[in-house]
Amino acid sequence: MCKKLYRNGEPSMKTQQTNRNSINQQSDPLTANKRKHIGIKKTVLQGITLLLPLAGIFIFTHRDWLLNLAYRLPPCPFYSIYHVYCPSCGNTRSVSALFQGKLLTSLRYNIIPILLLLFCLCGYLEAAAYSFGKPINILPRNYRFYLIGGLLIAAYLVFRNFIPYLTP
């Protein structure tokens, strides 16, 4: 049995330290399991980080096949019925122009694929840096940025129906 030393009804410093050490020894297996789980997550993230560029290269090398498949799609039903451009009108032409290296033409057709590509690229760079132990923040963490950005994109998608230069 352990003899506890009390002073004024409270455990002594030596007893408190002994209690902390026994608690730490009991929780070490949990901490080791958590470390192991984090290590597995980082290994998986590193694998995805290394394989994602290969997927991008595959898509780029097979772009002609993908574009031929995209041109077989039916015309936009929303535009066919209401004669108003929907948010996705011009996406196929925008991606096609982007694959051909015509950035300004791609932006003229629809700005959404370019913004999505930039957003995904920044997210990929953050994930890659995190997975190799150098966390960086490229994308803003403030919700106001995304709220204002969403409102500006929504305004663009509405106003492009009225301004002839913005039509796809």
Side-chain angles (χ1 to χ4, degrees):
M1 270 193 148
C2 180
K3 184 178 178 183
K4 295 184 180 179
L5 305 174
Y6 289 97
R7 179 192 283 172
N8 299 332
E10 295 179 10
S12 69
M13 293 296 279
K14 187 174 183 178
T15 307
Q16 289 175 355
Q17 287 175 353
T18 306
N19 288 341
R20 279 191 214 126
N21 289 340
S22 65
I23 290 172
N24 287 341
Q25 289 173 357
Q26 291 172 355
S27 65
D28 272 345
L30 294 176
T31 307
N33 285 340
K34 286 181 182 179
R35 275 192 235 131
K36 184 178 178 183
H37 184 67
I38 290 171
I40 291 171
K41 284 172 61 174
K42 280 198 172 189
T43 304
V44 169
L45 191 58
Q46 286 173 351
I48 291 171
T49 302
L50 294 174
L51 290 177
L52 207 55
L54 295 176
I57 291 169
F58 178 80
I59 289 171
F60 188 74
T61 56
H62 291 82
R63 66 183 181 270
D64 294 332
W65 178 79
L66 290 171
L67 290 175
N68 287 332
L69 183 66
Y71 285 121
R72 294 182 186 158
L73 294 173
C76 178
F78 191 81
Y79 184 76
S80 300
I81 296 170
Y82 301 111
H83 298 289
V84 175
Y85 294 111
C86 73
S88 65
C89 278
N91 278 349
T92 304
R93 288 173 280 174
S94 177
V95 171
S96 172
L98 193 61
F99 275 148
Q100 296 170 5
K102 301 174 183 175
L103 184 64
L104 293 177
T105 306
S106 176
L107 284 171
R108 187 185 179 294
Y109 288 137
N110 198 338
I111 197 169
I112 302 295
I114 302 282
L115 292 177
L116 186 62
L117 181 68
L118 288 174
F119 187 78
C120 288
L121 182 65
C122 290
Y124 170 77
L125 291 175
E126 278 190 12
Y130 173 77
S131 68
F132 291 106
K134 303 278 185 188
I136 56 173
N137 288 334
I138 298 173
L139 294 171
R141 301 294 191 246
N142 192 344
Y143 75 94
R144 291 183 192 108
F145 173 81
Y146 296 105
L147 180 67
I148 291 170
L151 291 173
L152 289 174
I153 289 172
Y156 161 77
L157 293 173
V158 169
F159 287 129
R160 77 178 185 156
N161 286 300
F162 303 111
I163 300 172
Y165 181 74
L166 295 177
T167 58

